[in-house]
Amino acid sequence: EAAKLAISRADIDLKDIDLIVCATITPDYYCMPSTACLIGDKLGLNNVMALDISAACTGFVYAIQTAKAFVESGMKKNVLIVGAEKLSSVIDYEDRTTCMLFGDGAGAAIISATEDKDEAILDIQCNADGSMKDLLMTPGVQSDEAAFIQMKGNETFKIAVRTLTNDVKDIMEKNKLQNEDIDLF
């Protein structure tokens, strides 16, 4: 439904979509088919490149960056990106520190080629640090523990705030922007 709404709002013909990128850590199937393929099938887009990205909280941003790269390279013109989660499937409802923070939902957008620099995505900054794996994880696959989200909330919050602040400063400096140049955050 989120994809249908994004397509409608973008006023784009379904046949013009040439890539589907889905960001999810809770796919319908363990390995295959990808959730992006399932979305494509439900939309009637069965001959379109489709791939999933598993990047947790930053998944949708990674999807935007992936779409931007495909569009800017000229390989694709109109990319449907979807972020979809059914986190209720990996929540331990007895763990009151996590169960109220995570839920189910979806969002979608169309990223299209444009010659208008004012409509283009200026820049994106994504980073990952696997050394902090113990702060937020779902262990079950490689352990005897249940496959539920486990989080060290206070530490995760502090890292998230520091990382976001540094990323904003870095991307603004890289693009020679000042605080007063930003209209919406």
Side-chain angles (χ1 to χ4, degrees):
E1 293 305 311
K4 288 177 185 175
L5 184 58
I7 293 164
S8 171
R9 287 180 176 170
D11 195 27
I12 187 172
D13 194 307
L14 198 57
K15 68 178 176 28
D16 292 330
I17 295 172
D18 50 7
L19 172 61
I20 302 168
V21 180
C22 179
T24 187
I25 59 169
T26 53
D28 290 344
Y29 295 93
Y30 177 62
C31 292
M32 59 188 122
S34 70
T35 303
C37 283
L38 299 175
I39 292 166
D41 183 52
K42 288 183 179 190
L43 294 171
L45 295 170
N46 291 313
N47 290 311
V48 172
M49 183 179 170
L51 62 99
D52 284 359
I53 291 177
S54 176
C57 300
T58 57
F60 199 79
V61 177
Y62 276 49
I64 293 171
Q65 187 166 34
T66 301
K68 180 181 188 301
F70 270 101
V71 168
E72 287 181 350
S73 73
M75 292 176 63
K76 302 297 178 188
K77 291 192 182 342
N78 298 293
V79 181
L80 168 63
I81 60 171
V82 179
E85 298 296 357
K86 55 177 182 169
L87 290 168
S88 59
S89 67
V90 291
I91 294 295
D92 176 1
Y93 286 97
E94 293 182 19
D95 178 3
R96 305 304 288 169
T97 63
T98 60
C99 70
M100 60 195 79
L101 298 175
F102 299 97
D104 302 343
I110 301 289
I111 306 297
S112 296
T114 182
E115 296 297 321
D116 185 346
K117 295 227 186 254
D118 291 333
E119 291 182 359
I121 297 170
L122 178 64
D123 203 351
I124 298 174
Q125 179 149 333
C126 293
N127 298 302
D129 186 347
S131 71
M132 295 183 218
K133 63 189 172 294
D134 294 336
L135 296 182
L136 182 57
M137 68 163 141
T138 311
V141 174
Q142 305 239 353
S143 72
D144 293 331
E145 299 178 59
F148 294 129
I149 290 175
Q150 296 179 5
M151 180 174 70
K152 296 178 182 170
N154 289 337
E155 294 94 334
T156 302
F157 176 78
K158 289 173 189 171
I159 294 293
V161 169
R162 186 170 58 241
T163 300
L164 178 61
T165 302
N166 289 339
D167 283 348
V168 168
K169 287 178 181 177
D170 289 349
I171 203 165
M172 288 179 65
E173 184 177 303
K174 178 179 168 186
N175 290 282
K176 298 176 178 52
L177 295 170
Q178 302 299 316
N179 290 348
E180 49 276 359
D181 297 322
I182 306 303
D183 296 323
L184 179 65
F185 178 81

